[in-house]
Amino acid sequence: MISNVAVVLKFLLILFAITQIQSDNLVEGPNAENQCGLSLNESELVNNGKVVKTNEWPFLVALMYVADMKFFCGGTLISRSHVLTAAHCLQDKGQETPLTPSQFVLHLGKYNLSALYEPGSITAFPEKITIHPKWNIRQVKYDSDIALIKIYGTVPLSSNIYPACLWTSELGVRNYQTGTVIGWGVTKDQLKSQHQSIPRHIELKIVTNPVCYEDEVIASLISSRTFCAKGISGGGLYMKANVKWFIKGIILSSLHTDEEICDDESYSVFTDVTKFTNWIAKEFAIETDMTCKFDLHREMYTCYPKNLVIQQPYVKVSVMKGYHSDQRNNSDVNVFFLQRQNTSYLPHGIPELFPNLRSYCAYETNLKHIQRSDFSGFQFLTGIEISESELVNIPADTFYDVPGLKYLRLVKSQIASFDVDLFINSPNLEEFYAYENQIENLDGRLFRKNFNLERIHMSENKLKYIDLDLFTHSRKLSYVNFLDNTCISEFYPKTIYFDDFKAIIASNCSM
Ligand SMILES: *[C@@H]1O[C@H](CO)[C@@H](O)[C@H](O)[C@H]1NC(C)=O
Ligand SMILES: *[C@@H]1O[C@H](CO)[C@@H](O)[C@H](O)[C@H]1NC(C)=O
Ligand SMILES: *[C@@H]1O[C@H](CO)[C@@H](O)[C@H](O)[C@H]1NC(C)=O
Ligand SMILES: *[C@@H]1O[C@H](CO)[C@@H](O)[C@H](O)[C@H]1NC(C)=O
């Protein structure tokens, strides 16, 4: 199996990546660098295999070994501190241990690989590498051949150092749409083949997977997370949209020799960056430098995401705030909130950034979706409060990874109903507030596992039906408020007269 791969590896060229960021999808912070995809000079992409001009592709990165300063792979700058490359560059098939960050350096703004020094080119140092967890060195398939390199610090942007954007599925791809591959065109096998000193670019047409499945060797490599393009080349595949350059693919294989760079009768296979935007976004968020200031008077810890570029659509967060008892680090943040942020999703990576959070709050957001992964990985989370959002549906499993949940407030939003299984993994739930929503019915099974429930506040909804079974398991209830609903209006007994209250529900709110 491995030898079969070796044949193909011979043709492996350098890798680049693709990214699309639409400016309105970006996470913006005061110090964030959201720019990407600028092509500083429009190149004439007519002649395939044409030598690239200097400064033309400012997101190309050359990976070089520290030991001998030899070039071994290409990469793509996707933020001021991240480079996207192929996993096999850092850990090849059969290679038991990956390269370590100290074994290679990154040359940015590089053009002529043979020139030791070039004005405007800088050397950056990898701080951390993250190979996609699904990359399997023992499998023939090149699924998830993608890796992210975090650079120490941030690099200054200039005319020859500039990140590419990440292509996302919203941009779509037509069959035979053209992409541009740029690279130094090196094979992994330095002995058999020489890379060129100067990068080249070539235009390729993207073809559907069934077309390239017809080729047996190629078929052995591709997966649902790769795509094919007709032609041969060495590099990442970039596409242009709205005047910006986006990385769409990281090349993993070409079927013929790299010498035939202009042979357009064969196929190349690319890792489809579009399929990994969530993974990249998550890694970005985890690695984000936060500028956090502690305000002694208010005991508040305010964080501005510095290089947070979340390539997930509709996430836009410029400031995150948190509280902790003393000025320490992210691990000491107990309370975290987003306020007045125009974002449809919660940002990725909050559990990793603030692992010891006790309360997670979001107020006055345009939040439309919350999901299980938003709340997975916290050790001590007991409170979640989302107010003034645009939430309509809450997936049943949203809180399954928060067994310690005591206080849940989902208020002043558009929530229409609650799944009957929403709280089956919340045995500690004491307080459930969902006032000012659009709820019409309450299923009697909703709180069947919540024996510690003490307070329910659901005033100002549209309740027409309330199943009395709702209260049979929660023996500790001390406060229940259903004021201003369709079936209960002005007159509302105090909770202490629980039987009166139940009688009213029975007569007004039963089916
Ligand atoms: C772009 O390239 C053209 C020639 O190819 C050159 O005349 C022009 O000055 C370049 N522009 C920039 C901004 O480098
Ligand atoms: C690249 O650099 C080498 C070594 O300095 C030099 O000999 C060669 O001419 C350069 N190539 C180009 C295209 O500038
Ligand atoms: C954060 O501070 C705590 C002490 O409050 C310390 O134990 C921990 O190692 C620190 N973490 C980092 C990442 O500096
Ligand atoms: C929020 O973003 C959406 C789309 O990105 C935009 O249409 C809307 O005007 C924004 N709202 C505010 C309050 O900025």
Side-chain angles (χ1 to χ4, degrees), residues 140-364:
V140 173
K141 276 207 190 300
Y142 273 65
D143 184 41
S144 304
D145 188 3
I146 187 166
L148 198 61
I149 302 165
K150 165 85 164 62
I151 302 173
Y152 260 118
T154 54
V155 297
L157 301 186
S158 66
S159 59
N160 49 356
I161 300 176
Y162 209 87
C165 312
L166 287 175
W167 192 266
T168 63
S169 46
E170 280 89 60
L171 287 181
V173 175
R174 298 185 308 275
N175 202 17
Y176 294 115
Q177 192 171 346
T178 303
T180 303
V181 177
I182 311 144
W184 285 277
V186 74
T187 65
K188 287 283 286 184
D189 189 344
Q190 298 277 344
L191 293 173
K192 298 226 174 99
S193 148
Q194 287 295 306
H195 57 258
Q196 295 115 7
S197 304
I198 308 297
R200 284 164 189 263
H201 63 71
I202 182 175
E203 285 204 323
L204 297 184
K205 291 200 188 318
I206 291 172
V207 296
T208 55
N209 271 350
V211 172
C212 69
Y213 261 115
E214 286 167 14
D215 185 301
E216 268 179 39
V217 181
I218 290 273
S220 70
L221 300 173
I222 61 186
S223 74
S224 60
R225 300 199 283 189
T226 62
F227 67 89
C228 299
K230 211 163 190 282
I232 295 226
S233 63
L237 187 140
Y238 304 87
M239 294 172 72
K240 202 172 184 181
N242 315 325
V243 208
K244 293 181 168 195
W245 283 96
F246 295 86
I247 178 160
K248 160 74 179 158
I250 303 176
I251 191 166
L252 56 89
S253 138
S254 278
L255 202 52
H256 298 284
T257 73
D258 50 320
E259 281 140 33
E260 300 165 59
I261 193 161
C262 304
D263 174 2
D264 59 3
E265 286 311 306
S266 48
Y267 296 110
S268 302
V269 184
F270 295 82
T271 295
D272 191 346
V273 172
T274 318
K275 303 279 162 54
F276 295 93
T277 46
N278 281 351
W279 177 73
I280 294 169
K282 187 159 185 265
E283 290 301 322
F284 264 42
I286 295 169
E287 294 167 358
T288 294
D289 290 328
M290 300 281 260
T291 309
C292 295
K293 288 202 187 114
F294 190 72
D295 181 333
L296 276 177
H297 293 289
R298 290 188 294 163
E299 291 215 327
M300 191 198 285
Y301 181 85
T302 308
C303 298
Y304 297 91
K306 213 167 160 189
N307 296 298
L308 191 60
V309 182
I310 295 182
Q311 279 90 347
Q312 188 187 15
Y314 316 117
V315 176
K316 190 167 180 176
V317 172
S318 61
V319 58
M320 306 178 179
K321 296 184 180 184
Y323 293 98
H324 57 69
S325 51
D326 204 348
Q327 183 173 9
R328 291 198 181 153
N329 57 38
N330 287 357
S331 321
D332 302 306
V333 174
N334 297 330
V335 181
F336 165 84
F337 62 91
L338 291 174
Q339 190 165 17
R340 285 193 284 275
Q341 298 296 310
N342 191 2
T343 185
S344 305
Y345 290 85
L346 292 172
H348 283 293
I350 300 303
E352 290 85 355
L353 271 174
F354 305 116
N356 299 324
L357 224 55
R358 290 175 192 280
S359 299
Y360 191 138
C361 314
Y363 308 128
E364 296 173 76

Side-chain angles (χ1 to χ4, degrees), residues 440-442 464-468 505-511:
E440 293 191 8
N441 300 319
L442 278 180
K464 290 182 197 150
Y465 170 72
I466 302 172
D467 187 336
L468 276 179
I505 291 187
S507 63
N508 294 354
C509 307
S510 56
M511 284 257 190

Side-chain angles (χ1 to χ4, degrees), residues 444-455:
R445 293 167 293 174
L446 188 60
F447 299 123
R448 66 192 184 282
K449 299 283 184 187
N450 312 108
F451 308 115
N452 291 305
L453 195 60
E454 292 174 15
R455 294 175 297 280

Side-chain angles (χ1 to χ4, degrees), residues 365-394:
T365 62
N366 301 61
L367 212 56
K368 290 185 181 61
H369 309 274
I370 56 174
Q371 54 197 331
R372 186 171 177 171
S373 61
D374 292 331
F375 306 108
S376 299
F378 293 112
Q379 296 283 311
F380 307 111
L381 194 65
T382 52
I384 296 173
E385 176 163 357
I386 297 173
S387 178
E388 290 157 274
S389 74
E390 293 172 14
L391 286 179
V392 177
N393 295 307
I394 316 283

